[in-house]
mmCIF file of all heavy atoms in Angstrom:
data_model
loop_
_atom_site.group_PDB
_atom_site.id
_atom_site.type_symbol
_atom_site.label_atom_id
_atom_site.label_comp_id
_atom_site.label_asym_id
_atom_site.label_seq_id
_atom_site.Cartn_x
_atom_site.Cartn_y
_atom_site.Cartn_z
ATOM 1 N N GLU A 893 95.777 82.695 114.260
ATOM 2 C CA GLU A 893 96.024 81.267 113.975
ATOM 3 C C GLU A 893 95.378 80.313 115.030
ATOM 4 O O GLU A 893 95.189 79.300 114.783
ATOM 5 C CB GLU A 893 97.512 81.021 114.058
ATOM 6 C CG GLU A 893 98.267 81.721 112.865
ATOM 7 C CD GLU A 893 97.733 81.457 111.488
ATOM 8 O OE1 GLU A 893 97.422 80.247 111.268
ATOM 9 O OE2 GLU A 893 97.677 82.308 110.616
ATOM 10 N N LYS A 894 94.972 80.945 116.207
ATOM 11 C CA LYS A 894 94.328 80.069 117.144
ATOM 12 C C LYS A 894 92.852 79.845 116.837
ATOM 13 O O LYS A 894 92.084 80.739 116.445
ATOM 14 C CB LYS A 894 94.259 80.733 118.560
ATOM 15 C CG LYS A 894 95.735 80.794 119.090
ATOM 16 C CD LYS A 894 95.644 81.439 120.595
ATOM 17 C CE LYS A 894 97.070 81.541 121.211
ATOM 18 N NZ LYS A 894 97.082 82.166 122.561
ATOM 19 N N THR A 895 92.417 78.577 116.618
ATOM 20 C CA THR A 895 91.077 78.250 116.252
ATOM 21 C C THR A 895 90.142 78.105 117.418
ATOM 22 O O THR A 895 90.543 78.026 118.672
ATOM 23 C CB THR A 895 91.058 76.950 115.368
ATOM 24 O OG1 THR A 895 91.609 75.929 116.219
ATOM 25 C CG2 THR A 895 91.934 77.002 114.190
ATOM 26 N N GLY A 896 88.841 78.185 117.137
ATOM 27 C CA GLY A 896 87.868 78.111 118.150
ATOM 28 C C GLY A 896 86.938 79.331 118.188
ATOM 29 O O GLY A 896 86.856 80.072 117.312
ATOM 30 N N THR A 897 86.295 79.552 119.362
ATOM 31 C CA THR A 897 85.390 80.561 119.530
ATOM 32 C C THR A 897 85.858 81.780 120.235
ATOM 33 O O THR A 897 86.711 81.683 121.199
ATOM 34 C CB THR A 897 84.122 80.139 120.360
ATOM 35 O OG1 THR A 897 83.361 78.972 119.729
ATOM 36 C CG2 THR A 897 83.093 81.214 120.541
ATOM 37 N N VAL A 898 85.637 82.986 119.610
ATOM 38 C CA VAL A 898 86.167 84.254 120.108
ATOM 39 C C VAL A 898 84.964 85.032 120.567
ATOM 40 O O VAL A 898 83.936 85.116 119.924
ATOM 41 C CB VAL A 898 86.918 85.007 119.073
ATOM 42 C CG1 VAL A 898 87.324 86.366 119.495
ATOM 43 C CG2 VAL A 898 88.117 84.191 118.568
ATOM 44 N N THR A 899 85.117 85.668 121.808
ATOM 45 C CA THR A 899 83.985 86.527 122.238
ATOM 46 C C THR A 899 84.386 88.034 122.156
ATOM 47 O O THR A 899 85.417 88.358 122.512
ATOM 48 C CB THR A 899 83.640 86.210 123.772
ATOM 49 O OG1 THR A 899 83.341 84.801 123.900
ATOM 50 C CG2 THR A 899 82.597 87.015 124.343
ATOM 51 N N VAL A 900 83.443 88.798 121.583
ATOM 52 C CA VAL A 900 83.549 90.205 121.395
ATOM 53 C C VAL A 900 82.550 90.836 122.234
ATOM 54 O O VAL A 900 81.280 90.522 121.941
ATOM 55 C CB VAL A 900 83.583 90.708 120.014
ATOM 56 C CG1 VAL A 900 83.682 92.200 120.017
ATOM 57 C CG2 VAL A 900 84.610 89.986 119.182
ATOM 58 N N ARG A 901 82.754 91.694 123.220
ATOM 59 C CA ARG A 901 81.776 92.358 123.952
ATOM 60 C C ARG A 901 81.632 93.785 123.682
ATOM 61 O O ARG A 901 82.560 94.587 123.613
ATOM 62 C CB ARG A 901 82.076 92.156 125.626
ATOM 63 C CG ARG A 901 81.195 92.805 126.564
ATOM 64 C CD ARG A 901 81.362 92.299 127.916
ATOM 65 N NE ARG A 901 81.224 90.904 128.008
ATOM 66 C CZ ARG A 901 81.675 90.057 129.008
ATOM 67 N NH1 ARG A 901 82.319 90.762 130.010
ATOM 68 N NH2 ARG A 901 81.473 88.861 129.127
ATOM 69 N N ALA A 902 80.431 94.208 123.508
ATOM 70 C CA ALA A 902 79.976 95.531 123.298
ATOM 71 C C ALA A 902 79.427 96.166 124.513
ATOM 72 O O ALA A 902 78.620 95.667 125.097
ATOM 73 C CB ALA A 902 79.021 95.606 122.153
ATOM 74 N N THR A 903 79.986 97.340 124.905
ATOM 75 C CA THR A 903 79.486 98.014 126.101
ATOM 76 C C THR A 903 79.325 99.482 125.786
ATOM 77 O O THR A 903 80.010 99.989 124.821
ATOM 78 C CB THR A 903 80.518 97.848 127.300
ATOM 79 O OG1 THR A 903 81.748 98.326 126.902
ATOM 80 C CG2 THR A 903 80.571 96.477 127.753
ATOM 81 N N VAL A 904 78.584 100.161 126.589
ATOM 82 C CA VAL A 904 78.347 101.630 126.375
ATOM 83 C C VAL A 904 79.386 102.422 127.229
ATOM 84 O O VAL A 904 79.442 102.273 128.451
ATOM 85 C CB VAL A 904 76.948 102.086 126.833
ATOM 86 C CG1 VAL A 904 76.736 103.621 126.711
ATOM 87 C CG2 VAL A 904 75.883 101.352 125.960
ATOM 88 N N VAL A 905 80.249 103.235 126.701
ATOM 89 C CA VAL A 905 81.240 104.022 127.266
ATOM 90 C C VAL A 905 80.441 104.989 128.251
ATOM 91 O O VAL A 905 79.596 105.833 127.838
ATOM 92 C CB VAL A 905 82.201 104.779 126.408
ATOM 93 C CG1 VAL A 905 83.129 105.659 127.169
ATOM 94 C CG2 VAL A 905 82.960 103.706 125.517
ATOM 95 N N GLY A 906 80.898 105.030 129.506
ATOM 96 C CA GLY A 906 80.253 105.949 130.445
ATOM 97 C C GLY A 906 79.035 105.479 131.152
ATOM 98 O O GLY A 906 78.378 106.303 131.967
#
Side-chain angles (χ1 to χ4, degrees):
E893 295 302 320
K894 293 182 179 179
T895 59
T897 300
V898 177
T899 300
V900 181
R901 179 166 297 165
T903 55
V904 177
V905 175

